[in-house]
Amino acid sequence: MKRLSTDRLWAIAVLTPSIILLAIFVYGFIFRTAYTSLTDWGNDPAQAFSLTPIIRFIGLQNYHDLFTSGLNVRFRQDLVSTLFFTIFFIAGCLGLGLAMALLLDRNPKAEGLWRTIFLFPMSLSFIVTGTIWRWMLQPQGGLNQLFHLNPASNGWLTSRDSVWSFDWNKIPLVTAVLVGLILLWTGWQALRNAQRTRMWVALGCAALLLLWAFVIGPNVKLLPAPELHGFNIAFIGIIIAAIWQMSGYTMALYLAGLRGIPEELREASRVDGATEWNTYRHVIFPLLAPITLSAMIILGHISLKIFDLVFAMTGPDNGPTDVPALLMYITSFRQNALAVGAAIGTVLLLLVAIIIIPYLASQFRSQEGHA
């Protein structure tokens, strides 16, 4: 008993400094940033960095302006750009990483060399990757010269064209429909698992959301006039560079998963007469689903807070390739609008939390179930 108490005391002594530092320099700064976003600090740039700045509490006004003010069109476009970047980045990394893992799983010659080649880009920082790909995607750079493309019509990082445009005023309607459909799916899963209370709660919330979406949603306007946002073509080069760097990471995850599948399962599938494709479709790919989810979570939070890759490839002043993290830097340290920059940072934090917290909660429940 005395031995156990001593171990606990040592554990507390070792962990206490880390907990204190974490509380101050992580959660303390998060709280300070969130509070700053509720003030008008920096509305007068001349006195933003004075020794005694005049700061007033204004509540959620900065957030309201970010999503509805005509002066913050750039922020809204940055959010849309980040959404498209996240979708294509995750899809590209998962697809290419899975393809490379399947190739290596067949034990090709010089497998160690190929594994090293595939993983090498991951060892580079985003700054180095951005510098390399910035040169390759210049009008007179590597790709245009390699494939004999016309620099005037192949401005990888300088294009001002966009596709898939939509009206920002439709965001509440689309969001309500998507959340309603997710709740319907949650209710269906609860019904299959005989969780009736959870089912009725999910279906009731879904019904209310969908009713609002189809009755009230079409009349909700965030802005007095239509405001179109879409996918900027200049982001294609940045997406290619990001996939090139991170696909090796997903390859390593998938390869570990493939090597962990017992060979007996494959043999049993072949004995039952399944083709190679059906074996992968009905046996192997379902077993890789947890790895896919983990990779999506990690890649998703990387894409939401991407900064250095964009900064290295296009700089801070190229509007079509701007992202919220870069805009936060410009707003805070160029325009001295510290409260608005803090609001942008808080929005990014909430977006990351929306992705991370449900995943952590599900992992915690699964660990409790195995305990």
Side-chain angles (χ1 to χ4, degrees):
M1 193 71 179
K2 183 178 179 181
R3 175 71 177 173
L4 182 61
S5 299
T6 304
D7 290 341
R8 286 186 176 181
L9 287 174
W10 274 111
I12 293 173
V14 171
L15 292 175
T16 298
S18 298
I19 293 174
I20 294 174
L21 292 174
L22 188 69
I24 296 174
F25 293 104
V26 176
Y27 295 103
F29 284 178
I30 289 175
F31 174 79
R32 177 62 179 175
T33 300
Y35 173 76
T36 301
S37 71
L38 303 176
T39 68
D40 66 346
W41 192 3
N43 282 5
D44 182 5
Q47 58 92 37
F49 289 104
S50 66
L51 294 178
T52 56
I54 300 174
I55 303 175
R56 295 177 302 170
F57 184 83
I58 60 174
L60 299 176
Q61 185 62 43
N62 288 323
Y63 297 96
H64 179 270
D65 292 343
L66 284 176
F67 288 96
T68 62
S69 172
L71 300 176
N72 292 292
V73 177
R74 184 175 180 178
F75 169 75
R76 295 190 284 273
Q77 176 58 53
D78 291 354
L79 278 183
V80 174
S81 297
T82 301
L83 173 63
F84 282 115
F85 175 83
T86 300
I87 293 173
F88 290 121
F89 172 61
I90 292 177
C93 287
L94 292 180
L96 185 58
L98 179 60
M100 293 189 296
L102 291 174
L103 289 175
L104 292 178
D105 190 49
R106 295 181 176 273
N107 299 314
K109 293 182 179 179
E111 178 189 340
L113 175 62
W114 287 112
R115 191 188 303 120
T116 302
I117 293 174
F118 292 156
L119 281 172
F120 173 73
M122 185 186 168
S123 65
L124 305 176
S125 69
F126 273 126
I127 292 292
V128 175
T129 298
T131 303
I132 295 171
W133 281 91
R134 180 174 184 171
W135 172 80
M136 293 180 63
L137 297 177
Q138 288 295 314
Q140 305 299 332
L143 284 186
N144 285 341
Q145 290 185 357
L146 179 64
F147 296 104
H148 304 287
L149 301 175
N150 182 11
S153 57
N154 290 280
W156 295 91
L157 301 175
T158 58
S159 175
R160 293 295 186 267
D161 298 330
S162 64
V163 295
W164 303 322
S165 297
F166 64 92
D167 185 6
W168 181 259
N169 288 307
K170 301 295 184 183
I171 288 292
L173 174 62
V174 174
T175 302
V177 171
L178 288 177
V179 174
L181 293 177
I182 292 173
L183 288 173
L184 284 177
W185 180 82
T186 303
W188 168 249
Q189 294 297 318
L191 176 62
R192 293 178 60 185
N193 296 326
Q195 299 174 335
R196 293 193 173 275
T197 302
R198 184 178 179 183
M199 177 197 72
W200 286 115
V201 171
L203 292 181
C205 293
L208 290 175
L209 271 177
L210 293 176
L211 180 64
W212 180 91
F214 291 109
V215 176
I216 303 175
N219 299 319
V220 175
K221 302 294 181 184
L222 297 176
L223 301 166
E227 183 179 286
L228 297 180
H229 297 283
F231 174 63
N232 292 316
I233 300 300
F235 252 99
I236 294 177
I238 298 176
I239 293 171
I240 292 173
I243 292 174
W244 177 78
Q245 174 157 353
M246 294 304 300
S247 58
Y249 170 74
T250 55
M251 180 274 295
L253 292 179
Y254 278 129
L255 185 60
L258 289 170
R259 295 287 167 84
I261 296 176
E263 187 62 29
E264 290 79 6
L265 291 178
R266 305 184 191 222
E267 291 295 337
S269 177
R270 296 189 188 101
V271 169
D272 290 339
T275 62
E276 189 76 8
W277 163 246
N278 285 331
T279 299
Y280 276 99
R281 181 183 176 186
H282 297 290
V283 178
I284 296 177
F285 289 158
L287 293 175
L288 294 178
I291 294 177
T292 300
L293 178 60
S294 299
M296 289 178 64
I297 297 297
I298 296 171
L299 295 173
H301 101 268
I302 289 175
S303 65
L304 287 175
K305 61 182 186 181
I306 192 74
F307 172 86
D308 37 6
L309 179 65
V310 178
F311 192 96
M313 292 187 69
T314 61
D317 301 313
N318 189 30
T321 57
D322 204 4
V323 290
L326 189 57
L327 180 62
M328 176 184 65
Y329 166 79
I330 295 172
T331 302
S332 299
F333 301 109
R334 280 192 177 183
Q335 302 173 5
N336 294 344
L338 298 179
V340 178
I344 296 174
T346 304
V347 170
L348 284 177
L349 176 66
L350 293 176
L351 291 176
V352 173
I354 289 173
I355 293 178
I356 296 293
I357 291 178
Y359 172 72
L360 294 178
S362 65
Q363 291 293 101
F364 181 74
R365 284 197 300 266
S366 64
Q367 289 178 2
E368 281 190 332
H370 293 304

